[in-house]
Amino acid sequence: MSDSSPVFTSGSARTVLRLEGALVLVACVWIYSGLNQGWMLFLILFLAPDLSALGYIAGRRTGAAAYNTLHTYLGPLALGIVGGVLAMDIVVGIALIWGAHIGFDRALGYGLKLPTGFRDTHLGRIGRG
């Protein structure tokens, strides 16, 4: 793939990925609601992964790498497993909030960033124009 010509997911594959994100969001919120961690924590941390966009200060490639690191399901899955093994509900709760954020982004069509620019994601170009 060339940096000058990004390739985006389209059609039914894009729809499935967005539906998958919505399902992850709903599942994470539902499971979180049973942990009794409180909704204030959820509200405070829900947008925290977006702070990774500050990586764009260092350039497109660094920004995309920083953003993608906090916007894949691997991080919250690993954190959730650690929290479960250690019986630490707060850690599981944080993992669920993180997973909910990623699901929310995917459901809205915000995907992993391509190094071509902030608006270029694996789910398509975001924004106008």
Side-chain angles (χ1 to χ4, degrees):
M1 178 171 75
S2 167
D3 278 35
S4 63
S5 166
V7 177
F8 304 117
T9 303
S10 62
S12 62
R14 185 175 201 269
T15 302
V16 168
L17 289 172
R18 290 183 72 174
L19 288 172
E20 176 185 74
L23 180 61
V24 168
L25 169 63
V26 169
C28 286
V29 170
W30 180 63
I31 295 167
Y32 181 85
S33 72
L35 289 180
N36 298 317
Q37 295 293 313
W39 292 104
M40 186 57 68
L41 178 67
F42 192 95
L43 290 173
I44 291 169
L45 294 180
F46 186 72
L47 295 177
D50 285 341
L51 292 173
S52 62
L54 292 172
Y56 279 93
I57 293 170
R60 290 179 304 172
R61 289 189 179 280
T62 302
Y67 187 91
N68 291 345
T69 298
L70 292 184
H71 284 83
T72 65
Y73 292 119
L74 294 174
L77 179 62
L79 185 63
I81 290 170
V82 168
V85 168
L86 299 177
M88 298 177 70
D89 283 353
I90 188 73
V91 174
V92 173
I94 292 169
L96 288 166
I97 295 166
W98 188 2
H101 171 87
I102 296 168
F104 180 73
D105 275 4
R106 295 290 196 287
L108 293 178
Y110 296 97
L112 297 173
K113 303 297 184 190
L114 302 178
T116 53
F118 182 80
R119 294 178 45 216
D120 295 339
T121 79
H122 82 288
L123 294 178
R125 181 162 281 153
I126 56 174
R128 295 183 182 218

